[in-house]
Amino acid sequence: MTPHVLGLALVLTLALAPASAGAADAPPFLPIIERHAQPLTAVASDAEALSLFSSQLAPALNLSVPQSPDQQQTATQLVTELAAWRLAAAVRKAADADDHAALPPLFQSIATQRNWLLGNDRFPALNRVLMFNETLQAGDPARMAHLAGLAFRAEAEAERNARSLWDRLQSWNEQLKAQKAAGRLCGTWQWTIHNHKNHQEHKATIVLLPPGTPAPPDMPQPAKMVVLGDAVYLRWDFQRGYQEDSLLFVKEGRHLEGTFMATTGDWGAITGKRIAGCAR
């Protein structure tokens, strides 16, 4: 395999890998819940939940501080799920151990947050735990076992929801990172293409727009742009095929150097020089 093809293959492997391969793994939720048990018990409003997320939980969960209203709402929901998960897990452990004396302090600790936590019927399984506990009498192993089962279902419900919300926030993080990376390409470039197939050289001026910006009909844009560190993958779709560019940022990001390969069999070298900044 020639060096230019090897370089192209390397970038293609990275660029076309499933999105989840580059995403961060889910964090260990239970240790995080245990470390933040006290603030999770004390939070009693959406505003407090968002503040707790931004100040303590976001770094622990490998997430960014939410910016948009949708992200803030999702972060708030995640905090409520973690608070519910914490309570359900504690109740289950106490019930499994038949430790009736441990239950009253648990439920007393959430007195200030109960209305907020259970508002709008968002935790039906946890609500059943609280209602059943109010009828529980000491020295009744069968009913303690039933309470443990209810708490287990509440715990599973909160865990499932928390992981789903974390995935949503993490996906936003990855999209933001990808947009920032692709933004490095924005600007006007002087493109020099040397086709090794016919030994011809072609120069062109290419304007790459910011991610998500609609392009005029006379301003072709790559069908796909992926930036991984200094490695750049571009795919251009044409009527009769496509071209893939494998490039690297050089000279502090002012130049691009690499290779191209097209479905027509053309292949060769590309050098690019940024001649104007991003027109935002």
Side-chain angles (χ1 to χ4, degrees):
M1 183 178 288
T2 60
H4 83 276
V5 176
L6 180 62
L8 177 62
L10 175 61
V11 174
L12 287 179
T13 299
L14 295 172
L16 300 181
S20 58
D25 293 331
F29 283 97
L30 283 176
I32 292 172
I33 290 173
E34 291 172 357
R35 288 199 303 270
H36 298 86
Q38 184 174 355
L40 282 172
T41 304
V43 65
S45 69
D46 286 354
E48 292 177 3
L50 182 58
S51 176
L52 174 60
F53 181 89
S54 299
S55 62
Q56 299 184 41
L57 293 176
L61 294 167
N62 300 320
L63 296 171
S64 299
V65 175
Q67 301 296 326
S68 71
D70 286 345
Q71 293 173 350
Q72 291 175 351
Q73 182 180 10
T74 302
T76 299
Q77 292 173 349
L78 177 55
V79 175
T80 63
E81 296 293 346
L82 295 179
W85 186 352
R86 183 209 67 81
L87 177 60
V91 172
R92 177 186 54 79
K93 290 178 182 178
D96 280 341
D98 198 21
D99 187 1
H100 190 278
L103 294 174
L106 278 176
F107 294 111
Q108 290 170 7
S109 68
I110 66 156
T112 59
Q113 75 171 181
R114 181 167 178 167
N115 290 338
W116 167 75
L117 191 60
L118 300 179
N120 300 319
D121 297 322
R122 57 184 168 189
F123 292 115
L126 184 60
N127 192 42
R128 286 192 290 271
V129 169
L130 299 181
M131 293 178 63
F132 185 82
N133 175 72
E134 292 172 354
T135 67
L136 193 64
Q137 300 293 327
D140 193 340
R143 291 181 66 81
M144 285 288 278
H146 184 63
L147 177 63
L150 291 175
F152 176 79
R153 285 192 287 273
E155 186 179 2
E157 178 183 78
E159 177 178 1
R160 180 179 64 251
N161 294 339
R163 291 186 181 278
S164 176
L165 292 166
W166 184 89
D167 285 340
R168 191 185 309 172
L169 288 168
Q170 176 63 19
S171 175
W172 273 323
N173 279 2
E174 293 301 316
Q175 291 174 18
L176 180 60
K177 290 178 182 177
Q179 289 176 357
K180 288 182 177 179
R184 295 179 63 191
L185 290 168
C186 182
T188 303
W189 295 82
Q190 183 68 55
W191 224 247
T192 301
I193 303 174
H194 183 84
N195 191 332
H196 293 323
K197 182 181 178 182
N198 53 28
H199 302 291
Q200 293 182 350
E201 193 162 277
H202 175 69
K203 293 184 181 293
T205 299
I206 296 177
V207 178
L208 297 179
L209 298 174
T213 303
D218 60 345
M219 190 180 293
Q221 296 291 294
K224 185 172 184 178
M225 297 191 298
V226 179
V227 180
L228 299 172
D230 285 336
V232 176
Y233 164 78
L234 302 178
R235 176 188 169 103
W236 306 82
D237 287 343
F238 307 114
Q239 188 173 2
R240 295 185 178 181
Y242 62 86
Q243 176 178 308
E244 292 174 326
D245 302 340
S246 169
L247 308 165
L248 287 173
F249 279 111
V250 295
K251 298 181 180 179
E252 299 180 347
R254 299 189 305 272
H255 290 236
L256 285 166
E257 294 181 356
T259 61
F260 79 91
M261 182 178 291
T263 50
T264 56
D266 296 283
W267 59 277
I270 294 178
T271 59
K273 178 183 179 181
R274 193 194 305 268
I275 58 176
C278 189
R280 298 185 181 273

